């Protein structure tokens, strides 16, 4: 399958030519297939936010290319403008971008910019609100009257309403309560499933990355240092720790068990997996 | 992007000029500005230019950086030059129709432009080499005598340092909001003036909301730490005049004397 979005030798330098010059991305080759769910992890300052802002053309590469369906997104101005609607980007703390009088109007900002008809806009707003679990009541309110979590949902709906083929989220659950986080992740999964959209999730939460993604990409110092299935990535516990990253807690528990002499598998990274492994019963934990 | 605006920006460094006491730098800058207005002819301007160039070299500030401040002023500079050339009475050099260009006009225009450029370079050199915090510390200390006549010097300095402190934050915030709205397809660059003004709403509303939120949080934080208006407060970084500062003052005196002497002889 050919990737829906791809970067080739992507390099980004902030404040080029000043004393504050900073190489944020260094020859990154990153690609995502249609319908894939990829998590991007990496310590703070590793270049995750910089990378995703390249994917919808908000930043321009200092060298290298970004391709959407094989076409360079900087090849023409018209194509570049249309990319914003095909690759939806939800920023870190997106609730600070709300500005309209009502939540409904705010969510419709994207579709309005796409030049859709009023009936189409309305349909999309209700659909997007449905995905993130906003009620009709809430749609009529001022966005500033919603709770923190409600604002976050409204802001995410504002991007989903454009029905992007690639949905990128920068730490969407930061600062939400556990229940709210889980809920929101389920909403995003639903969008992923029903529209067969590719999702790129930037996160610091290893459990979340392990549970949601088919593939993990690890950034460090502006370079991709690991890339593969969660099993493969979390197998390198030492390498991850060197980059000041964790493995999921349950994986750590299992590696402890191994050290204590139990012959449990190493590649356990969700609680559900752990449960089924333990209930298999052949590890003899009960009579240890 | 907005980040690239250098107006009043500080370039951290560790040169003799960076380390000078901010009070000395402020006084020298004021002296420099006054002298610019007293200067008459090539010699006095040359002396002032020499002072500027030496300071810039010592501070490791390149000519390109120093001159980056001119860009927003180009129109003012051109208008000044044209008006001076056209409206200075004197011995006409060329004249056509009702307009005549005089010798005096050209020389006035030349010195006027030179004066503006030197003025900009000098003040920028101050902000390039002095962090906003030290700058306000210096101002506060210089203005202290005004406390006697009940001018709230400390409060003013505090407000100024808070404002300066939040300029980069607000610029960063604006950048972020612009990016977020662009990601939703906002277009700030096409259409007529009214359309463009309307396009600013999605930026300004969140920006004001966040500025007020920040102000509110800061006020709460200050109150939680029992901030009071500067009674008996001591400073973390006490300003002390060192040997280098005396040397800088000496240079300032020489500059002053030199320019005044040149002026006296009309040079
Ligand atoms: N606008 C900017 N100007 C200058 N430097 C920047 C800018 N934005 C980011 N940087 C720098 O680029 C590097 C990468 O930043 P980036 O925001 O991509 O990191 P991140 O991986 O998203 O971090 P976090 O997990 O904290 O969000 C950092 O060192 C940061 O200081
Ligand atoms: Mg980030």
């Amino acid at each position: 399958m050919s990737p829906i979005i791809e970067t080739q030798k992507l390099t980004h330098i902030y404040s080029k030519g000043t004393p504050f010059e900073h190489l944020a991305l260094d020859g990154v080759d990153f690609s995502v297939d249609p319908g894939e769910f990829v998590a991007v992890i990496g310590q703070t300052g590793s270049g995750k936010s910089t990378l995703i802002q390249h994917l919808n053309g908000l930043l321009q590469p200092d060298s290298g290319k970004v391709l959407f369906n094989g076409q360079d997104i900087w090849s023409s101005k018209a194509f570049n403008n249309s990319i914003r609607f095909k690759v939806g980007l939800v920023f870190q703390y997106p609730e600070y971008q709300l500005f309209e009088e009502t939540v409904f109007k705010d969510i419709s900002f994207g579709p309005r910019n796409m030049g859709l008809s009023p009936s189409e806009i309305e349909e999309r707003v209700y659909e997007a609100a449905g995905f993130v679990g906003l009620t009709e009541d809430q749609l009529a309110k001022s966005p500033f009257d919603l709770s923190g979590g409600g604002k976050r949902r409204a802001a995410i709906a504002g991007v989903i309403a454009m029905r992007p083929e690639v949905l990128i989220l920068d730490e969407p659950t930061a600062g939400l309560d556990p229940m709210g986080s889980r809920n929101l992740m389920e909403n995003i999964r639903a969008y992923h499933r029903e529209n067969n959209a590719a999702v790129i999730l930037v996160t610091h939460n290893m459990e979340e990355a392990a549970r949601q993604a088919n593939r993990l990409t690890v950034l460090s110092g502006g370079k991709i240092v690991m890339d593969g299935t969660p099993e493969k990535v979390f197998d390198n516990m030492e390498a991850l720790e060197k980059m000041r990253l964790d493995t999921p807690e349950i994986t750590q528990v299992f590696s402890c068990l191994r050290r204590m002499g139990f012959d449990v598998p190493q590649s356990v990274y969700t609680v559900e997996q752990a449960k089924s492994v333990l209930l298999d019963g052949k590890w003899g934990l009960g009579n240890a | 992007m907005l980040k690239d605006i250098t107006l009043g920006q500080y370039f951290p460094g560790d040169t003799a000029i960076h380390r000078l006491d901010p009070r000395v730098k402020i006084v020298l800058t004021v002296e420099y500005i006054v002298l610019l207005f007293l200067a008459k002819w090539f010699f006095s301007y040359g002396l002032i230019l020499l002072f500027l160039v030496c300071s810039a070299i010592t501070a490791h500030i390149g000519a390109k950086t120093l001159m980056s401040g001119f860009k927003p002023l180009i129109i003012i500079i051109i208008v000044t030059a044209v008006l001076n050339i056209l409206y200075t009475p004197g011995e006409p050099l060329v004249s056509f129709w009702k307009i005549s260009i005089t010798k005096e006009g050209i020389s006035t225009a030349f010195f006027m432009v030179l004066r503006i450029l030197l003025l900009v370079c000098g003040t920028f050199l101050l902000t390039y080499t002095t962090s906003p915090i030290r700058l306000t510390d210096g101002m506060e200390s210089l203005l202290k005598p005004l406390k006697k006549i009940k001018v709230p010097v400390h409060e003013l300095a505090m407000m100024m340092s808070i404002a300066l402190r939040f300029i980069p934050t607000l610029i960063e915030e604006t950048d972020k909001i612009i990016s977020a709205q662009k990601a939703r397809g906002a277009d700030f660059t096409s259409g007529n003036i009214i359309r463009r003004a309307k396009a600013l709403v999605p930026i300004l509303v969140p920006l004001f909301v966040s500025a007020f939120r920040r102000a509110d949080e800061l006020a709460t934080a200050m109150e939680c730490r029992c901030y009071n208006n500067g009674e008996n407060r001591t400073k973390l970084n006490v300003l002390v005049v060192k040997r280098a500062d005396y040397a800088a003052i000496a240079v300032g005196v020489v500059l002053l004397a030199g320019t005044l002497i040149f002026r006296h002889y009309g040079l």
Side-chain angles (χ1 to χ4, degrees), chain B residues 175-189:
Chain B
D175 257 349
K176 256 192 214 151
I177 294 172
I178 291 179
S179 301
Q181 306 300 25
K182 271 193 192 161
R184 296 205 278 165
D187 181 6
F188 307 112
T189 51

Side-chain angles (χ1 to χ4, degrees), chain B residues 95-122:
Chain B
S95 52
F96 49 93
W97 192 42
K98 279 184 197 162
I99 303 167
S100 61
I101 295 175
T102 63
K103 214 166 142 189
E104 286 80 358
I106 291 181
S107 87
T108 321
F110 173 76
F111 284 118
M112 202 53 124
V113 169
L114 187 63
R115 187 176 286 169
I116 296 178
L117 296 184
L118 286 173
L119 192 72
V120 173
C121 286

Side-chain angles (χ1 to χ4, degrees), chain A residues 14-15 20 22-24 42-51 92 170-171 202 204 219, chain B residues 3 172 175:
Chain A
Y14 280 112
S15 313
F20 305 105
H22 181 89
L23 179 65
Q43 78 179 88
T44 179
S46 54
K48 305 181 295 292
S49 303
T50 311
L51 173 64
Q92 229 160 346
D170 198 348
E171 296 182 42
V202 173
H204 282 288
L219 269 182
Chain B
K3 276 256 172 62
E172 199 174 301
D175 257 349

